[in-house]
Amino acid sequence: MGHLDHATFGWLTPALSYAMACIGAALGLRCTVRALDATGRSRRNWLITAASAIGTGIWTMHFVAMLGFGVTGTDIRYDVPLTLLSLVMAMAVVGVGVFAVGYGRDRVRSLLIGGLTTGVGVASMHYLGMAALRLHGQVRYDPLLVGLSVLIAVVAATAALWAALNIHAPAAVAVASLVMGAAVTSMHYTGMFAVRIEVAPSSAPLPGAMLMQFIFPLAVGLGSYLFITSAFVALTPTAGERAAYASAGRLTEPDERAVDVAPTGFRAGEAARTPTT
């Protein structure tokens, strides 16, 4: 059995992966809060942004963590189509969850359905990403740890959606995103500790792409998307702020109903110069 190293670069990849999970969670929660205050097309657009942010954050967290994954006795490659499919799955299943919360009439039911769907989907994304591994050997899993990782994913997803429904203050959202980031990271490493690899040394070339050829540039691009979108959301006024601006504008507008009743040719200064008798 090959020796597995989950942190070949030390604490760098776990710390960066946790940061990606937190940023994605924070952005997704803020977008979901904005969606719940909006209606029509605006609500739909905010929910789509939330799903893409959370899904991208989770996927980026997974593969940034995988930058530090190594197996003694074999190289590692990644199947490109399966890796891209795992990204699409992450955003799609999170989208089901946030739309269930965003449009559901019964909040408790929507929360349970959304949390279960999103959690199972996140776990599926993780194991689909692991199925993209190409190495000289066979990958096996500890069923108990796999089940525990799925449970953590469901609890984390449900907690995140609950936070989106009930937490609106920016400071509270920040704390919730840190907790969710920790939960998602825990789910990932629990799933990774479930991995058992039987190495079969071989000189045959492995199919697929190396991390630095494909995964790393894609993770950097998605991380940049998260940062840019976060800045956009931070600078976009909330519904309450827009209402306040509109109210302030109405207060400062001149009253167009006022009628000038002064006679033609009358000047204000003339009234002061007119002698009294």
Side-chain angles (χ1 to χ4, degrees):
M1 183 174 293
H3 172 71
L4 278 61
D5 189 346
H6 298 284
T8 58
F9 298 105
W11 285 100
L12 178 62
T13 49
L16 284 177
S17 63
Y18 173 66
M20 290 297 102
C22 291
I23 292 170
L27 179 56
L29 291 177
R30 290 303 298 163
C31 289
T32 306
V33 169
R34 297 288 185 93
L36 296 175
D37 291 334
T39 57
R41 183 181 299 178
S42 179
R43 172 173 289 197
R44 181 200 65 192
N45 291 341
W46 278 118
L47 289 174
I48 291 174
T49 306
S52 66
I54 297 175
T56 299
I58 292 171
W59 187 92
T60 306
M61 175 267 144
H62 171 84
F63 282 100
V64 167
M66 293 302 292
L67 290 173
F69 178 69
V71 182
T72 303
T74 178
D75 293 328
I76 297 176
R77 299 289 186 273
Y78 289 85
D79 182 277
V80 174
L82 275 180
T83 302
L84 292 176
L85 181 59
S86 69
L87 172 60
V88 174
M89 173 177 285
M91 292 189 288
V93 296
V94 172
V96 172
V98 296
F99 270 83
V101 168
Y103 287 100
R105 296 182 180 275
D106 185 335
R107 286 201 166 189
V108 174
R109 181 181 178 184
S110 299
L111 181 62
L112 294 177
I113 292 175
L116 179 62
T117 303
T118 303
V120 171
V122 167
S124 300
M125 180 281 300
H126 172 88
Y127 289 105
L128 182 60
M130 291 300 295
L133 282 177
R134 296 292 178 264
L135 46 76
H136 293 303
Q138 188 172 12
V139 180
R140 301 181 184 278
Y141 292 93
D142 181 323
L144 181 61
L145 288 177
V146 169
L148 179 59
S149 70
V150 174
L151 178 61
I152 293 173
V154 171
V155 172
T158 305
L161 294 176
W162 177 89
L165 284 173
N166 296 281
I167 298 177
H168 293 255
V173 169
V175 173
S177 65
L178 293 176
V179 174
M180 184 185 175
V184 171
T185 306
S186 298
M187 175 267 158
H188 170 83
Y189 283 105
T190 300
M192 294 306 297
F193 289 142
V195 175
R196 305 288 185 270
I197 297 178
E198 296 180 5
V199 176
S202 172
S203 59
L206 288 167
M210 296 177 63
L211 271 173
M212 292 301 176
Q213 291 176 329
F214 171 64
I215 302 296
F216 181 72
L218 184 57
V220 170
L222 292 174
S224 300
Y225 160 77
L226 289 175
F227 280 107
I228 293 171
T229 308
S230 297
F232 170 77
V233 172
L235 295 174
T236 302
T238 64
E241 290 171 342
R242 287 195 298 269
Y245 295 154
S247 177
R250 285 194 297 269
L251 290 176
T252 57
E253 288 177 356
D255 190 350
E256 296 179 353
R257 295 173 299 176
V259 180
D260 187 359
V261 295
T264 305
F266 178 82
R267 290 178 296 180
E270 293 179 354
R273 292 195 300 269
T274 302
T276 57
T277 56

